[in-house]
Amino acid sequence: VFTGKSPEIGIVDILSEEDEKKIYDFRKNAVSPEELRKSAMVLLGLRTGLRASDITNLKLQDIDWKEHTISIVQQKTGRPLTIPWPNDVGNAVYRYIKYGRPRSDSGYLFIRHTAPYCKLSTKICNNALYTMLPDRKSVKHKGFHVTRRTFATNMLRSQSGIDAVMNALGHTDNTTVMKYLSFDSEGMGK
């Protein structure tokens, strides 16, 4: 039934180039176990589009080091997803495993740094982002998911099509992917 109202479309919040630079600067200077973990988690979100729930559920066995891929079953949708990861993400994860992750029998990649060495809550992803970008704390309802929206927007900016973005995010319907996208105003004016 038509109500006479157009659907409401909001502006998609993404990270600025300056914000992304701050994330990379943080990663470059990370040395403590917590900093290494934060760097790896935020880079996973920013460069692969993974949700916080998928990052905190990531297991060591989900990583294929030879193929440079991560294979998971998405927490939210229950759908399998295999995605490539860029070298900078692999390097950040490797540094965390080698120099930051406590020795533990836990199968989870990201674990607490004090006993018991168990899986983390998704709030740790928000906290990692807020450590790197403290101003993000005041942005209402715009936590870690901004990395997923930024990832999708950056794919579009690099001339990837909607189908490629859908596949990378693990979506099957292009209407759901549209809410993640922010269009490059300079690119649209060309």
Side-chain angles (χ1 to χ4, degrees):
V1 175
F2 181 67
T3 62
K5 294 182 181 179
S6 298
E8 192 173 309
I9 299 173
I11 295 173
V12 176
D13 178 45
I14 63 169
L15 297 175
S16 68
E17 286 182 28
E18 181 182 329
D19 289 338
E20 290 186 54
K21 183 182 179 324
K22 288 178 185 176
I23 290 168
Y24 283 103
D25 288 346
F26 184 92
R27 181 204 55 171
K28 185 171 55 175
N29 297 315
V31 290
S32 75
E34 289 82 9
E35 290 170 340
L36 294 170
R37 183 179 66 197
K38 288 175 183 180
S39 296
M41 293 177 107
V42 172
L43 274 181
L44 273 164
L46 183 63
R47 300 281 282 137
T48 68
L50 287 176
R51 294 177 182 94
S53 59
D54 293 326
I55 291 171
T56 57
N57 281 303
L58 194 60
K59 295 192 172 78
L60 292 164
Q61 69 188 27
D62 298 334
I63 300 169
D64 185 331
W65 291 97
K66 289 182 182 177
E67 296 298 320
H68 299 267
T69 60
I70 299 170
S71 296
I72 61 167
V73 174
Q74 295 177 93
Q75 228 17 58
K76 182 176 179 181
T77 65
R79 291 192 179 106
L81 178 67
T82 297
I83 54 173
W85 65 358
N87 286 338
D88 58 348
V89 173
N91 290 340
V93 169
Y94 175 80
R95 284 185 66 214
Y96 167 67
I97 292 170
K98 179 111 173 127
Y99 303 111
R101 187 178 186 276
R103 294 201 187 278
S104 167
D105 292 336
S106 174
Y108 290 101
L109 172 60
F110 298 109
I111 57 176
R112 290 172 36 121
H113 287 168
T114 56
Y117 302 114
C118 56
K119 175 182 132 158
L120 300 167
S121 78
T122 57
K123 289 181 184 177
I124 202 78
C125 291
N126 281 334
N127 293 341
L129 184 66
Y130 298 153
T131 297
M132 296 175 203
L133 305 172
D135 294 344
R136 295 282 318 162
K137 272 187 175 180
S138 64
V139 180
K140 195 170 186 163
H141 305 297
K142 306 291 185 186
F144 191 80
H145 211 68
V146 71
T147 61
R148 187 168 168 86
R149 290 187 299 271
T150 303
F151 168 77
T153 300
N154 286 343
M155 278 191 75
L156 275 184
R157 286 179 176 165
S158 70
Q159 307 303 314
S160 296
I162 295 290
D163 288 341
V165 176
M166 281 176 32
N167 289 337
L169 294 176
H171 287 195
T172 56
D173 180 1
N174 71 359
T175 58
T176 57
V177 79
M178 295 309 287
K179 68 182 176 182
Y180 293 97
L181 304 177
S182 172
F183 296 98
D184 183 3
S185 57
E186 284 181 30
M188 288 174 61
K190 292 179 184 176

